[in-house]
Amino acid sequence: MPNLVRTRATQPVERVPNPGMLAEVVAGLSAPQKELPPKYFYDQRGSELFEAITRLPEYYPTRTERALLAGWMPELMAQLGTRTLVELGAGNSEKSRIILDAMRATGLAELYVPIDVSATFLSQTAVQLRREYPGLTVEPAVADISVELKLPRLMPRPALFAFLGSTIGNFYPPAAIRLLARVRAAMAPGDRFLMGVDLRKDIPRIEAAYNDSQGVTAAFNRNMLLVLNHELGADFDPDAFEHLAFYDQVWHRIEMHLVAKRAQVVMIPGAEAVTFREGESIRTEISCKYDRASVSSLFAAAGLRIEAWPTDPTTPFGLVVGVPA
Ligand code: SAH
Ligand code: AVI
């Protein structure tokens, strides 16, 4: 059943149809600075490599966000009376369990909607969560959140829309604003938006998080080429590309690139040959770092405002609660 993901015993869900992938990849590789969208990291292996990244000593965001959630969610969920959790880019839902536990403690938890492009990973997570939370309805949605949210028609309210892990940072500001505006449009009175954002801080610490000593981030970066080989029949040689990650102080973001070790030509069926000069790179990801002012202006442009942001100067990561402006 290669194109179907079974999320319930009786209800198969179609894998995200991706007719646009070839066009998107060709457009990205034809630009003066070759570029591919980071959503193509996340096949099964890519999702597993990201999980491994979250456990690396250098990768501080996940454990910092987990600690913030553990400290804050019991109080916040009791205060909001949340009945539905919608999560964008849910991944393995590891930190979502902290929110779900806090919802369950209030006796109000009814529905969890994890949304992700990584179809098989999402369905495995859903099966596991149904076992762990017997009274909870888990309705996963396979969707590209840069295009749509794919929400169930009926959701018990109030709902919490969560976007954790600083995945917002992987979107260029105009796309981030469109995404947040989509969330804003889906919110009903009483709903809240919870977003994790990685904060600006000393550059060596940020750069170390994307250049780990075990090479897991490098493998994650190269995995995108394997995804293109598998999905499009391309003939990239991942070993012919080097991982590069650096902080851009002007744009306040990490950039990840794959740099051609030598001049080469790559074939993608249905497209013209893609040529690389030695040293030429594909930008595979940006990871923007924020402060309060930059989050405020993103929110304002999307029709949201910051309602709460408990800050601690020693914490290099922010958890922000947003409401419609
Ligand atoms: N929220 C989790 C996972 C973060 S990794 C955490 O905080 O640890 C980023 C997740 O977003 C991955 O699971 C990836 O598959 C998903 N993702 C990335 N781009 C996406 C897109 N355009 N649409 C939907 N999901 C996306
Ligand atoms: C998912 N996203 C927020 C991660 C990040 O830090 O930008 C992806 C990642 N890229 C390299 N390491 C982790």
Side-chain angles (χ1 to χ4, degrees):
M1 197 170 56
N3 270 337
L4 290 177
V5 180
R6 198 165 281 284
T7 57
R8 285 168 196 247
T10 54
Q11 194 184 336
V13 165
E14 254 178 64
R15 186 176 175 165
V16 170
N18 211 344
M21 182 173 181
L22 178 63
E24 196 170 29
V25 165
V26 167
L29 295 179
S30 310
Q33 167 61 67
K34 293 180 166 62
E35 175 138 25
L36 292 168
K39 66 185 174 194
Y40 294 132
F41 285 132
Y42 299 97
D43 64 349
Q44 179 74 16
R45 179 167 181 267
S47 297
E48 286 166 7
L49 283 166
F50 178 73
E51 257 186 343
I53 287 174
T54 64
R55 293 192 285 267
L56 291 169
E58 296 95 334
Y59 196 76
Y60 59 84
T62 308
R63 72 181 64 90
T64 313
E65 189 179 46
R66 188 188 300 124
L68 288 168
L69 287 165
W72 198 24
M73 284 310 107
E75 184 193 330
L76 188 70
M77 290 304 96
Q79 192 187 317
L80 296 177
T82 300
R83 296 166 69 201
T84 295
L85 173 63
V86 174
E87 187 176 5
L88 283 62
N92 65 4
S93 300
E94 190 246 334
K95 284 168 289 166
S96 332
R97 286 167 170 85
I98 300 169
I99 308 177
L100 292 171
D101 288 343
M103 286 167 65
R104 184 160 62 176
T106 66
L108 296 172
E110 287 185 50
L111 175 64
Y112 176 45
V113 184
I115 308 173
D116 209 289
V117 270
S118 192
T120 48
F121 206 66
L122 183 66
S123 82
Q124 287 163 11
T125 301
V127 167
Q128 183 64 31
L129 283 169
R130 287 193 190 105
R131 252 184 245 131
E132 289 172 41
Y133 297 86
L136 184 75
T137 303
V138 180
E139 273 191 46
V142 182
D144 178 347
I145 56 171
S146 64
V147 177
E148 58 174 348
L149 298 184
K150 261 205 199 156
L151 298 174
R153 236 173 301 133
L154 288 177
M155 298 196 297
R157 308 282 177 155
L160 180 72
F161 291 80
F163 194 19
L164 302 179
S166 203
T167 303
I168 188 72
N170 300 137
F171 292 83
Y172 285 94
I177 291 165
R178 285 196 298 274
L179 203 169
L180 297 182
R182 210 167 286 127
V183 172
R184 162 70 189 89
M187 288 172 82
D191 291 352
R192 292 292 187 281
F193 177 51
L194 177 71
M195 185 173 82
V197 279
D198 195 11
L199 301 177
R200 295 173 191 171
K201 63 183 73 62
D202 65 297
I203 293 169
R205 186 164 183 201
I206 301 179
E207 287 190 328
Y210 295 82
N211 289 288
D212 67 277
S213 57
Q214 296 169 50
V216 182
T217 311
F220 173 74
N221 198 2
R222 287 197 189 94
N223 187 59
M224 190 182 285
L225 302 181
L226 294 174
V227 169
L228 299 195
N229 288 352
H230 181 251
E231 296 284 322
L232 299 177
D235 66 353
F236 279 101
D237 171 7
D239 291 333
F241 289 83
E242 213 152 39
H243 166 73
L244 172 71
F246 61 89
Y247 192 74
D248 181 318
Q249 296 188 51
V250 174
W251 292 102
H252 304 285
R253 68 190 187 201
I254 281 284
E255 289 200 6
M256 288 216 313
H257 291 247
L258 286 166
V259 184
K261 290 181 185 168
R262 49 176 163 75
Q264 54 197 284
V265 178
V266 173
M267 304 305 292
I268 306 178
E272 282 182 22
V274 185
T275 59
F276 287 87
R277 288 173 275 107
E278 182 182 338
E280 188 176 2
S281 78
I282 311 172
R283 184 162 52 208
T284 50
E285 184 179 68
I286 57 162
S287 190
C288 301
K289 308 304 170 189
Y290 298 91
D291 55 15
R292 191 172 175 117
S294 51
V295 170
S296 253
S297 62
L298 268 191
F299 271 25
L304 292 163
R305 68 175 170 81
I306 297 174
E307 182 182 56
W309 185 341
T311 47
D312 164 0
T314 62
T315 304
F317 196 90
L319 255 191
V320 191
V321 174
V323 285

Coordinates of all heavy atoms in Angstrom, one line a residue, residues 16 37-43 46-47 50-51 54 59 61-62 65 69 87-96 112 115-119 121-122 141-148 162-167 170-171 179 220 285 317, ligand 1:
V16 N 0.0 12.7 0.9 CA -0.1 14.1 0.2 C 0.2 13.9 -1.3 O 1.3 13.5 -1.6 CB 1.0 15.0 0.8 CG1 1.1 16.3 0.0 CG2 0.7 15.3 2.2
P37 N 13.0 23.7 -0.7 CA 12.3 23.9 0.5 C 12.6 22.8 1.6 O 12.7 21.7 1.2 CB 10.8 23.8 0.1 CG 10.8 23.6 -1.3 CD 12.2 23.3 -1.8
P38 N 12.8 23.2 2.8 CA 13.1 22.3 3.9 C 12.1 21.2 4.2 O 12.4 20.2 4.8 CB 13.3 23.2 5.1 CG 12.7 24.5 4.8 CD 12.7 24.6 3.3
K39 N 10.9 21.4 3.7 CA 9.9 20.3 3.9 C 10.4 19.0 3.2 O 10.0 17.9 3.6 CB 8.5 20.7 3.3 CG 8.5 20.8 1.8 CD 7.1 21.3 1.4 CE 7.2 21.6 -0.1 NZ 6.0 22.4 -0.6
Y40 N 11.3 19.1 2.3 CA 11.8 17.9 1.6 C 12.9 17.1 2.4 O 13.4 16.1 2.0 CB 12.3 18.2 0.2 CG 11.2 18.6 -0.7 CD1 11.3 19.7 -1.5 CD2 10.0 17.9 -0.7 CE1 10.2 20.1 -2.3 CE2 8.9 18.3 -1.6 CZ 9.0 19.4 -2.4 OH 8.0 19.8 -3.2
F41 N 13.2 17.6 3.6 CA 14.0 16.8 4.5 C 13.3 15.6 5.1 O 13.9 14.6 5.4 CB 14.4 17.6 5.8 CG 15.5 18.6 5.5 CD1 15.3 19.9 6.0 CD2 16.7 18.3 4.9 CE1 16.3 20.9 5.9 CE2 17.6 19.3 4.7 CZ 17.4 20.6 5.2
Y42 N 11.9 15.7 5.2 CA 11.2 14.9 6.1 C 10.5 13.7 5.5 O 9.3 13.6 5.6 CB 10.2 15.7 6.9 CG 10.9 16.8 7.7 CD1 11.0 18.1 7.2 CD2 11.5 16.5 9.0 CE1 11.6 19.1 8.0 CE2 12.1 17.5 9.7 CZ 12.2 18.8 9.2 OH 12.8 19.8 9.9
D43 N 11.3 12.7 4.9 CA 10.7 11.4 4.7 C 10.9 10.7 6.0 O 11.3 11.3 7.1 CB 11.3 10.7 3.5 CG 12.8 10.4 3.7 OD1 13.4 10.9 4.7 OD2 13.4 9.7 2.9
G46 N 14.4 11.1 7.3 CA 14.7 12.5 7.7 C 14.0 12.8 9.0 O 14.6 13.5 9.8
S47 N 12.8 12.3 9.2 CA 12.1 12.5 10.5 C 12.9 11.9 11.6 O 13.0 12.4 12.7 CB 10.7 12.0 10.4 OG 10.0 12.7 9.4
F50 N 15.9 13.9 12.3 CA 15.6 15.1 13.1 C 15.4 14.7 14.6 O 15.9 15.4 15.5 CB 14.3 15.8 12.6 CG 14.0 17.0 13.5 CD1 14.8 18.2 13.4 CD2 13.0 16.9 14.4 CE1 14.6 19.2 14.3 CE2 12.7 18.0 15.3 CZ 13.5 19.1 15.2
E51 N 14.8 13.6 14.8 CA 14.6 13.1 16.2 C 16.0 13.0 16.9 O 16.2 13.3 18.0 CB 14.0 11.7 16.2 CG 12.5 11.7 16.6 CD 12.0 10.2 16.7 OE1 12.7 9.3 16.2 OE2 10.9 10.1 17.3
T54 N 17.4 16.2 17.9 CA 16.9 16.8 19.1 C 17.5 16.3 20.4 O 17.4 16.8 21.5 CB 15.3 16.6 19.2 OG1 15.1 15.2 19.4 CG2 14.6 17.1 18.0
Y59 N 22.3 20.7 20.4 CA 21.0 21.2 19.9 C 20.1 21.5 21.1 O 19.4 20.7 21.6 CB 20.3 20.2 19.0 CG 19.2 20.8 18.2 CD1 19.5 21.6 17.1 CD2 17.9 20.6 18.5 CE1 18.4 22.2 16.3 CE2 16.8 21.2 17.8 CZ 17.1 22.0 16.7 OH 16.1 22.6 16.0
P61 N 17.5 23.7 21.4 CA 16.1 24.2 21.4 C 15.1 23.2 21.9 O 14.2 23.6 22.7 CB 15.8 24.4 19.9 CG 17.1 24.7 19.3 CD 18.1 23.8 20.0
T62 N 15.2 21.9 21.6 CA 14.2 20.9 22.0 C 14.1 20.8 23.5 O 13.0 20.9 24.1 CB 14.4 19.6 21.4 OG1 14.6 19.8 20.0 CG2 13.3 18.6 21.6
E65 N 12.7 24.0 25.1 CA 11.3 24.2 24.9 C 10.5 23.2 25.8 O 9.5 23.5 26.4 CB 10.9 24.0 23.5 CG 9.5 24.3 23.2 CD 9.2 24.2 21.7 OE1 9.5 23.1 21.1 OE2 8.5 25.1 21.1
L69 N 7.6 24.1 28.5 CA 6.3 23.5 28.4 C 5.9 22.8 29.7 O 4.8 23.0 30.3 CB 6.2 22.5 27.3 CG 6.2 23.1 25.9 CD1 6.4 22.0 24.8 CD2 4.8 23.7 25.5
E87 N -1.9 20.8 16.1 CA -0.5 21.0 16.1 C 0.1 21.0 14.7 O 0.0 20.1 14.0 CB 0.3 20.0 17.0 CG 1.7 20.4 17.1 CD 2.6 19.5 18.0 OE1 2.0 18.5 18.5 OE2 3.8 19.8 18.2
L88 N 0.8 22.1 14.4 CA 1.4 22.3 13.0 C 2.8 21.7 13.1 O 3.5 22.0 14.0 CB 1.4 23.7 12.7 CG 0.2 24.5 12.2 CD1 -0.9 24.5 13.3 CD2 0.5 25.9 11.8
G89 N 3.1 20.9 12.1 CA 4.5 20.3 12.0 C 4.8 19.5 13.3 O 5.8 19.6 13.9
A90 N 3.8 18.5 13.6 CA 3.9 17.8 14.9 C 5.1 16.9 15.1 O 5.5 16.6 16.2 CB 2.6 17.1 15.1
G91 N 5.6 16.4 14.0 CA 6.7 15.4 14.1 C 6.3 14.2 14.9 O 5.3 13.6 14.7
N92 N 7.1 13.9 15.9 CA 6.8 12.7 16.8 C 5.9 13.1 18.0 O 5.7 12.2 18.8 CB 8.1 12.0 17.2 CG 8.9 12.9 18.2 OD1 8.5 14.0 18.5 ND2 10.1 12.5 18.6
S93 N 5.5 14.3 18.0 CA 4.5 14.7 19.1 C 5.1 14.5 20.5 O 4.4 14.4 21.5 CB 3.2 14.0 19.0 OG 2.6 14.2 17.8
E94 N 6.4 14.5 20.6 CA 7.0 14.2 21.9 C 6.7 15.2 22.9 O 6.2 15.0 24.0 CB 8.5 14.0 21.7 CG 9.2 13.5 22.9 CD 10.2 14.5 23.6 OE1 10.7 15.4 22.9 OE2 10.4 14.4 24.8
K95 N 6.9 16.5 22.5 CA 6.6 17.6 23.5 C 5.1 17.9 23.6 O 4.6 18.4 24.6 CB 7.3 18.9 23.0 CG 8.8 18.9 23.3 CD 9.5 20.0 22.6 CE 9.6 19.7 21.1 NZ 9.9 20.9 20.3
S96 N 4.3 17.4 22.5 CA 2.9 17.6 22.6 C 2.3 16.8 23.7 O 1.2 17.2 24.3 CB 2.2 17.1 21.3 OG 3.2 17.2 20.2
Y112 N -7.1 15.7 19.4 CA -5.8 16.1 19.0 C -5.7 16.0 17.5 O -5.9 14.9 16.9 CB -4.7 15.2 19.7 CG -3.3 15.5 19.3 CD1 -2.8 16.8 19.2 CD2 -2.4 14.5 19.0 CE1 -1.5 17.1 18.9 CE2 -1.1 14.7 18.7 CZ -0.6 16.0 18.6 OH 0.7 16.3 18.3
I115 N -0.7 17.8 12.5 CA -0.6 18.1 11.1 C 0.9 18.0 10.7 O 1.7 18.6 11.3 CB -1.2 19.5 10.7 CG1 -2.6 19.7 11.3 CG2 -1.2 19.7 9.2 CD1 -3.1 21.1 11.1
D116 N 1.1 17.2 9.6 CA 2.5 17.1 9.2 C 2.6 16.7 7.7 O 1.7 16.0 7.2 CB 3.3 16.1 10.1 CG 4.8 16.5 10.2 OD1 5.5 16.3 9.2 OD2 5.2 16.9 11.2
V117 N 3.7 17.0 7.0 CA 3.9 16.5 5.7 C 4.5 15.1 5.7 O 4.4 14.3 4.7 CB 5.0 17.3 4.8 CG1 4.4 18.4 4.1 CG2 6.2 17.7 5.6
S118 N 5.1 14.7 6.8 CA 5.7 13.4 6.9 C 4.7 12.3 7.2 O 4.4 11.9 8.4 CB 6.8 13.4 8.0 OG 7.7 12.3 7.9
A119 N 4.1 11.7 6.1 CA 2.9 10.9 6.3 C 3.1 9.7 7.1 O 2.3 9.4 8.0 CB 2.4 10.6 4.9
F121 N 5.4 8.8 9.2 CA 5.8 9.2 10.6 C 4.6 9.6 11.4 O 4.4 9.2 12.5 CB 6.8 10.3 10.5 CG 7.8 10.4 11.6 CD1 8.7 9.4 11.9 CD2 7.7 11.5 12.5 CE1 9.6 9.5 12.9 CE2 8.6 11.6 13.6 CZ 9.5 10.6 13.8
L122 N 3.8 10.4 10.7 CA 2.6 11.0 11.4 C 1.6 9.8 11.8 O 1.1 9.8 12.9 CB 1.8 11.9 10.4 CG 0.6 12.6 10.9 CD1 0.9 13.6 12.0 CD2 -0.1 13.4 9.8
A141 N -3.7 14.9 10.2 CA -3.9 15.4 8.9 C -2.6 15.5 8.1 O -1.6 16.2 8.7 CB -4.6 16.8 9.0
V142 N -2.5 14.9 7.0 CA -1.3 15.1 6.2 C -1.4 16.3 5.3 O -2.3 16.3 4.4 CB -1.1 13.8 5.3 CG1 0.2 13.9 4.5 CG2 -1.0 12.6 6.1
A143 N -0.6 17.3 5.5 CA -0.8 18.6 4.8 C 0.5 19.4 4.8 O 1.3 19.2 5.7 CB -1.9 19.4 5.4
D144 N 0.6 20.1 3.7 CA 1.7 21.1 3.6 C 1.2 22.4 4.2 O 0.3 23.1 3.6 CB 2.1 21.3 2.1 CG 3.2 22.3 2.0 OD1 3.5 23.0 2.9 OD2 3.8 22.4 0.8
I145 N 1.7 22.7 5.4 CA 1.1 23.9 6.1 C 1.4 25.2 5.4 O 0.9 26.2 5.8 CB 1.5 23.9 7.6 CG1 3.0 23.9 7.7 CG2 0.8 22.8 8.4 CD1 3.5 24.1 9.2
S146 N 2.4 25.2 4.5 CA 2.6 26.4 3.7 C 1.5 26.7 2.7 O 1.4 27.8 2.1 CB 4.0 26.4 3.0 OG 4.0 25.4 2.1
V147 N 0.6 25.7 2.6 CA -0.5 25.8 1.6 C -1.8 25.8 2.3 O -2.7 26.5 2.0 CB -0.4 24.6 0.6 CG1 -1.6 24.7 -0.4 CG2 0.9 24.6 -0.2
E148 N -2.0 24.8 3.3 CA -3.3 24.7 3.9 C -3.1 24.0 5.3 O -2.1 23.3 5.5 CB -4.2 23.8 3.0 CG -3.6 22.4 2.8 CD -4.4 21.5 2.0 OE1 -5.7 21.7 1.9 OE2 -3.9 20.4 1.6
A162 N -1.0 24.9 18.2 CA 0.4 24.9 18.7 C 1.4 24.8 17.5 O 1.1 24.0 16.6 CB 0.7 23.8 19.7
F163 N 2.4 25.5 17.5 CA 3.5 25.5 16.4 C 4.8 25.5 17.2 O 5.3 26.6 17.5 CB 3.3 26.6 15.5 CG 4.0 26.5 14.2 CD1 4.5 25.2 13.7 CD2 4.3 27.6 13.4 CE1 5.2 25.1 12.5 CE2 5.0 27.5 12.2 CZ 5.4 26.3 11.7
L164 N 5.3 24.3 17.5 CA 6.5 24.2 18.4 C 7.8 24.1 17.6 O 7.8 23.9 16.4 CB 6.3 23.0 19.3 CG 5.0 23.1 20.2 CD1 4.9 21.8 21.1 CD2 4.9 24.3 21.0
G165 N 8.9 24.0 18.4 CA 10.2 23.7 17.9 C 10.9 24.8 17.1 O 11.9 24.6 16.5
S166 N 10.2 26.0 17.0 CA 10.7 27.1 16.2 C 10.7 26.7 14.7 O 11.5 27.3 13.9 CB 12.1 27.5 16.6 OG 12.4 28.8 16.2
T167 N 9.8 25.9 14.3 CA 9.7 25.6 12.8 C 9.2 26.8 12.1 O 9.5 26.9 10.9 CB 8.7 24.4 12.6 OG1 9.1 23.3 13.4 CG2 8.5 24.0 11.2
N170 N 11.8 28.3 9.9 CA 12.2 27.7 8.6 C 11.5 28.3 7.4 O 11.6 27.9 6.3 CB 12.0 26.2 8.6 CG 12.8 25.5 9.7 OD1 12.3 24.6 10.4 ND2 14.1 25.9 9.9
F171 N 10.6 29.3 7.7 CA 9.9 30.0 6.7 C 10.4 31.4 6.5 O 10.6 32.1 7.5 CB 8.4 30.0 7.0 CG 7.7 28.7 7.0 CD1 7.8 27.8 8.1 CD2 7.0 28.2 5.9 CE1 7.2 26.6 8.1 CE2 6.4 27.0 5.9 CZ 6.5 26.1 7.0
L179 N 1.3 31.9 6.8 CA 1.0 30.7 7.6 C 0.3 31.2 8.9 O -0.8 30.6 9.3 CB 2.3 30.0 7.9 CG 2.3 28.6 8.3 CD1 3.7 28.0 8.3 CD2 1.7 28.3 9.6
F220 N 21.3 14.7 8.0 CA 19.9 15.2 7.8 C 19.9 16.1 6.6 O 19.0 16.0 5.7 CB 19.6 16.0 9.1 CG 18.3 16.8 9.1 CD1 17.1 16.1 9.1 CD2 18.3 18.2 9.0 CE1 15.9 16.8 9.2 CE2 17.1 18.9 9.0 CZ 15.9 18.2 9.1
E285 N 17.9 25.2 3.8 CA 17.1 25.7 5.0 C 17.6 27.0 5.5 O 18.8 27.3 5.5 CB 17.2 24.6 6.1 CG 16.3 24.9 7.3 CD 16.5 23.9 8.4 OE1 17.5 23.8 9.1 OE2 15.5 23.1 8.6
F317 N 15.3 30.4 24.5 CA 14.2 30.0 23.7 C 12.9 30.6 24.2 O 12.7 30.8 25.4 CB 14.1 28.5 23.7 CG 13.2 27.9 22.6 CD1 13.9 27.5 21.4 CD2 11.9 27.7 22.8 CE1 13.1 26.9 20.4 CE2 11.1 27.1 21.8 CZ 11.7 26.7 20.6
Ligands
SAH1 N1 7.2 20.0 16.3 C1 8.3 19.0 16.4 C2 9.0 18.7 15.1 C3 9.8 19.8 14.5 S1 10.6 19.3 13.0 C4 9.3 19.5 17.4 O1 9.2 20.6 17.9 O2 10.2 18.7 17.7 C5 9.6 20.1 11.8 C6 8.4 19.2 11.5 O3 7.6 20.0 10.7 C7 8.7 17.9 10.8 O4 7.9 16.9 11.4 C8 8.3 18.2 9.4 O5 7.8 17.0 8.7 C9 7.2 19.2 9.5 N2 7.1 20.1 8.4 C10 8.1 20.8 7.8 N3 7.6 21.6 6.8 C11 6.3 21.3 6.8 C12 5.3 21.8 5.9 N4 5.5 22.7 4.9 N5 4.0 21.3 6.1 C13 3.7 20.4 7.1 N6 4.7 20.0 8.0 C14 6.0 20.4 7.8

